[in-house]
Amino acid sequence: METPMSDVTRREFVKAASAVTAIGATTLPSWAVQEKRDPIKVGFIGCGGRGTGAANQALTANKDAVIWAMGDAFEDRLIGSMNSLVGEQGERAQVPRERQFVGFDAFQKVIDSGVDMVILTTPPHFRPEHIAAAVKAKKHVFCEKPMAVDGTGVRSVMESTALAKKNDTNLMSGFCWRYNPALRATFEQLHNGAIGEIESYFATYYAAPLWTKPRKESWSDMEWQMRNWVHYDWLCGDHIVEQACHSVDKINWAMKNEAPISCTSVGGRQMHEGIDRGNVYDHFGVMYEYADGRRMQLHCRQMPFCYNDNNDYITGATGTCIVNGWTGAPVMTGSSSWTYTGEQANMYQVEHNELQAAIRGDTPTINDGDFMAQSTLMAILGREAAYTGQRISFEEMLNSTTRLGPKDYAFGELAIPPIAEPGTTKLNR
Amino acid sequence: MRTFFFTTILLFATGCSSPSEPESFTQNVEGTDFSFEMVPVLSQNGNFWISRTEVPWDLYDIFLQFINSPDNLYAGVDAITGPTPAYASVDRGFGRTGYPAISMSAQAAESFCAWLSSKTGKTYKIPTIQQWKKANTLGGGAWHKWNANKTTHPIATTDPNTIGLYDMRGNVGEWVTTDAGPRVIGGSFRTPAEELGSGTLLEATRGWNVTDPQLPRSPWWFADADYVGLRLVTMNGDSNE
């Protein structure tokens, strides 16, 4: 993770992105011809609410799947998660004591326990290392968004993406809108020119703050930050990376994974709610500039009791499209009045249905690595442009040497990182 | 802004009532600039007062703010258990200020009533189904499937019924208690006009929270029931001046 890839360029990133389609479309896994189907052994790393939901969806998608091993930094989280899963799925989620792993190294123990696939749903800071270890061990991967919190992490994810392609193992992202039937149909329309060439994309993620975990006296600094992780940039990447990355990914999707050349942002921390809120910002306004001069924007906010919006407003050369941020259903005007009339499916379940089908060999191998790495990097770019107050190029961001967070993981003292100050904070810090 | 129409309504209501009958009253919420109005309903089983409108986010947000404040989170055994922040934007982008609060579970509605009672000194509850039906008099406009354009509308933006209550039918369904447990009554902006009223009685199902990506699914919020809201009743109207 520490190795900088100094020569990665935007062009290479885009080229890698186009290569994946060809590989994904033509290659079937070597074991696709297996007749006997052994139970899929699922390793589950990061036993929070979302991860537990994902594990439940994996078991729902495949009645032959079992939770084989679980790992978390905290035993109470692991046990609570397992109990929830057992309540939904019964014995298939009952993990014996010897395969319940607790601690910072739990991920490796889960990977080494004989699993076929892993669900990676810890706080995002740890994701690149976990993806790397799982892909290296040739495990199929479902990894939640975002995939990293800094450029260093994204470069690691890119390396893992290449290795997963080489090994022909599945690498699925939690950018769930890519698996929403309504949005898939909508973006197909957009890519086919329903509203002409896309001239501007304005994405919104105006939402309320996420939860806060009050500190217990027995918790060290590290334990508190880990349990309260959505409030620290090093753990969650800030809310533009942790939450609004969905909207960034939709911009990236609309632009067919073409990387922007640069980004300018504003952001800040307007709601002063004290130490429970860590060092993150509560609003960002981001502008991505593309090579042909087009500018795409994202506004996101986590403030209570305000007007919320999660729609995307797209203007094309011949029409407009509003993408509903809850149902995915679009409203088009101008050159197209197309509406989505197909099935409404739970995208979180669709992901795991498709992943299990790919693991079984019924469908081609999935590798979301290129777009997931790029969308994550774009979200980080939006944050860094705001944090620093500078116009930052995509390549500068990709090659940034910053690695957020402590070098070694241990439960003990850990100061809350300073709140970024535009004009003072540096990209490489 | 928060009190503009309540003030208007108060003038109207005061003009209508005679001294010998139970009167409507305005409930202030201590420490805030929000107030709401309670309308008397005469009943052989005991007079009660019911809120003139569905509970808007304006009031529900004060509750959410308290529940998630450090004061409450660090209150230990004295803390009020209530809704943690929702995973998704449960207001669905329909609107916040002046719009009916939606997507709350029955458990959340009860927690809200407990908080409001502690805050006001009056016992507030969600209505029984009998109370709701008693208050569901003739008259009144409604936001329903055919006129609402797939969204909630600000409270009290149609005509009131004959006792001055807004949105009894339509806009958002409302929690009531029944012998069989909590139910949602009245129909909503998603209900065809011809099905509004007490005939539409819904029980929470798994489908109301199927797209909550988390497990356990939130006990406080429905990810897929954006038509569920609430209205308040109290028996403690006479203690007002």
Side-chain angles (χ1 to χ4, degrees):
Chain A
M1 276 184 62
E2 292 286 351
T3 318
M5 288 165 56
S6 56
D7 291 332
V8 182
T9 65
R10 194 179 67 87
R11 185 181 303 273
E12 284 167 357
F13 204 118
V14 174
K15 200 162 62 181
S18 57
V20 65
T21 320
I23 293 171
T26 56
T27 313
L28 280 174
S30 54
W31 32 263
V33 291
Q34 285 180 355
E35 290 189 355
K36 183 176 180 300
R37 283 178 181 168
D38 294 326
I40 295 288
K41 293 175 183 169
V42 179
F44 171 22
I45 298 160
C47 307
R50 175 74 269 272
T52 310
N56 186 42
Q57 281 135 12
L59 295 188
T60 301
N62 183 349
K63 296 301 175 194
D64 294 327
V66 298
I67 305 295
W68 183 255
M70 293 173 72
D72 198 278
F74 304 111
E75 185 174 20
D76 60 307
R77 300 293 287 165
L78 188 153
I79 298 299
S81 168
M82 187 175 70
N83 290 341
S84 293
L85 280 170
V86 168
E88 295 283 321
Q89 303 284 356
E91 282 185 4
R92 290 194 293 146
Q94 188 71 52
V95 176
R97 185 87 189 159
E98 64 268 22
R99 291 199 299 272
Q100 300 170 6
F101 302 108
V102 173
F104 289 106
D105 60 350
F107 75 96
Q108 193 64 56
K109 292 174 178 171
V110 171
I111 291 168
D112 293 342
S113 70
V115 295
D116 301 301
M117 68 165 278
V118 290
I119 292 170
L120 304 180
T121 45
T122 63
H125 170 85
F126 303 101
R127 195 93 68 245
E129 186 181 11
H130 294 180
I131 294 173
V135 169
K136 189 179 168 195
K138 299 186 179 178
K139 306 302 178 188
H140 303 292
V141 172
F142 172 82
C143 58
E144 260 302 343
K145 37 54 62 175
M147 287 65 197
V149 297
D150 48 35
T152 304
V154 171
R155 291 195 301 276
S156 168
V157 173
M158 291 168 66
E159 290 177 6
S160 297
T161 298
L163 184 58
K165 287 178 189 171
K166 187 179 162 204
N167 291 342
D168 195 26
T169 52
N170 288 281
L171 177 57
M172 173 179 276
S173 82
F175 281 116
C176 48
W177 289 104
R178 300 263 187 168
Y179 293 85
N180 179 291
L183 238 67
R184 280 176 163 173
T186 302
F187 277 74
E188 187 181 358
Q189 289 285 322
L190 294 174
H191 289 162
N192 289 340
I195 59 169
E197 175 139 33
I198 294 172
E199 295 182 336
S200 80
Y201 197 117
F202 178 60
T204 65
Y205 215 125
Y206 296 128
L210 299 174
W211 44 265
T212 299
K213 282 278 194 304
R215 184 170 189 166
K216 289 184 180 170
E217 274 184 26
S218 61
W219 291 351
S220 65
D221 293 345
M222 182 69 163
E223 178 163 2
W224 182 42
Q225 291 188 33
M226 293 270 289
R227 290 184 183 270
N228 197 34
W229 61 272
V230 296
H231 302 293
Y232 309 94
D233 65 347
W234 74 273
L235 278 163
C236 76
D238 212 325
H239 68 95
I240 183 176
V241 180
E242 198 280 320
Q243 183 176 58
C245 63
H246 280 299
S247 300
V248 175
D249 183 55
K250 283 185 271 189
I251 294 174
N252 193 25
W253 193 2
M255 295 300 287
K256 301 178 185 172
N257 216 40
E258 177 186 342
I261 58 168
S262 74
C263 177
T264 312
S265 300
V266 293
R269 187 174 155 106
Q270 200 169 357
M271 312 294 288
H272 301 285
E273 295 177 58
I275 54 171
D276 285 359
R277 291 298 312 282
N279 72 329
V280 291
Y281 280 9
D282 55 20
H283 64 281
F284 292 90
V286 181
M287 186 277 289
Y288 297 107
E289 181 185 352
Y290 285 77
D292 60 5
R294 282 185 287 176
R295 284 165 162 78
M296 308 298 167
Q297 298 184 64
L298 164 71
H299 281 192
C300 60
R301 176 185 70 193
Q302 281 188 352
M303 293 183 192
F305 322 127
C306 299
Y307 174 74
N308 292 325
D309 194 0
N310 192 21
N311 296 328
D312 295 346
Y313 304 89
I314 310 167
T315 304
T318 60
T320 67
C321 176
I322 299 174
V323 176
N324 186 296
W326 286 270
T327 65
V331 176
M332 291 190 183
T333 65
S335 54
S336 176
S337 57
W338 180 83
T339 55
Y340 180 73
T341 54
E343 59 158 346
Q344 291 287 354
N346 178 0
M347 59 189 174
Y348 301 103
Q349 188 59 52
V350 172
E351 290 190 290
H352 287 276
N353 293 349
E354 296 192 3
L355 179 57
Q356 290 296 323
I359 290 174
R360 283 195 302 263
D362 296 344
T363 49
T365 307
I366 296 164
N367 190 314
D368 291 342
D370 289 303
F371 80 74
M372 80 186 191
Q374 180 159 309
S375 293
T376 298
L377 191 75
M378 283 173 64
I380 296 167
L381 174 60
R383 178 195 72 204
E384 288 298 311
Y387 275 10
T388 62
Q390 307 300 329
R391 178 175 182 266
I392 300 175
S393 75
F394 186 84
E395 288 180 30
E396 285 171 329
M397 188 67 249
L398 182 57
N399 292 304
S400 160
T401 54
T402 298
R403 180 190 173 280
L404 299 179
K407 281 202 166 60
D408 302 307
Y409 307 127
F411 291 113
E413 289 184 11
L414 183 65
I416 297 173
I419 298 165
E421 293 181 29
T424 302
T425 298
K426 302 297 181 202
L427 174 64
N428 294 314
R429 58 185 183 270
Chain B
M1 275 298 285
R2 283 180 167 184
T3 53
F4 69 99
F5 61 84
F6 294 101
T7 311
T8 314
I9 292 160
L10 184 62
L11 294 171
F12 162 75
T14 308
C16 285
S17 53
S18 78
S20 59
E21 290 176 353
E23 293 184 5
S24 59
F25 69 91
T26 300
Q27 178 67 64
N28 297 308
V29 181
E30 185 191 344
T32 77
D33 63 355
F34 188 83
S35 62
F36 59 94
E37 208 192 349
M38 300 296 291
V39 176
V41 180
L42 305 179
S43 169
Q44 290 175 340
N45 299 324
N47 297 341
F48 63 92
W49 283 255
I50 189 165
S51 59
R52 196 179 285 284
T53 70
E54 292 164 340
V55 171
W57 283 113
D58 310 54
L59 179 57
Y60 205 76
D61 277 342
I62 298 169
F63 162 63
L64 296 178
Q65 186 172 34
F66 169 76
I67 290 294
N68 294 289
S69 67
D71 282 350
N72 189 50
L73 291 174
Y74 284 104
V77 293
D78 296 326
I80 293 184
T81 304
T84 46
Y87 190 89
S89 295
V90 285
D91 66 24
R92 295 270 169 165
F94 293 155
R96 202 86 179 182
T97 303
Y99 283 75
I102 53 171
S103 305
M104 78 288 289
S105 66
Q107 183 182 335
E110 284 163 13
S111 171
F112 168 75
C113 290
W115 164 80
L116 186 63
S117 300
S118 72
K119 189 94 179 154
T120 60
K122 290 192 176 65
T123 301
Y124 280 99
K125 294 183 173 179
I126 56 176
T128 65
I129 189 170
Q130 292 82 9
Q131 288 171 330
W132 194 93
K133 286 181 175 176
K134 189 87 182 168
N136 182 32
T137 63
L138 296 174
W143 293 111
H144 50 73
K145 185 172 182 175
W146 313 130
N147 68 358
N149 196 24
K150 299 179 183 175
T151 178
T152 62
H153 286 254
I155 56 172
T157 48
T158 60
D159 297 330
N161 70 8
T162 57
I163 59 170
L165 305 181
Y166 289 90
D167 301 310
M168 283 297 287
R169 298 179 292 279
N171 209 16
V172 293
E174 299 172 9
W175 281 113
V176 291
T177 57
T178 76
D179 291 341
R183 296 288 186 274
V184 173
I185 199 166
S188 72
F189 70 98
R190 295 200 183 279
T191 309
E194 56 274 22
E195 294 173 21
L196 295 177
S198 58
T200 294
L201 194 63
L202 306 174
E203 180 179 1
T205 69
R206 202 180 169 100
W208 288 15
N209 217 6
V210 73
T211 66
D212 184 341
Q214 308 220 68
L215 193 73
R217 296 173 190 88
S218 175
W220 308 110
W221 299 105
F222 293 126
D224 306 293
D226 54 14
Y227 44 83
V228 173
L230 78 162
R231 187 182 296 267
L232 298 161
V233 293
T234 185
M235 306 292 282
N236 304 136
D238 285 331
S239 57
N240 286 276
E241 295 175 358

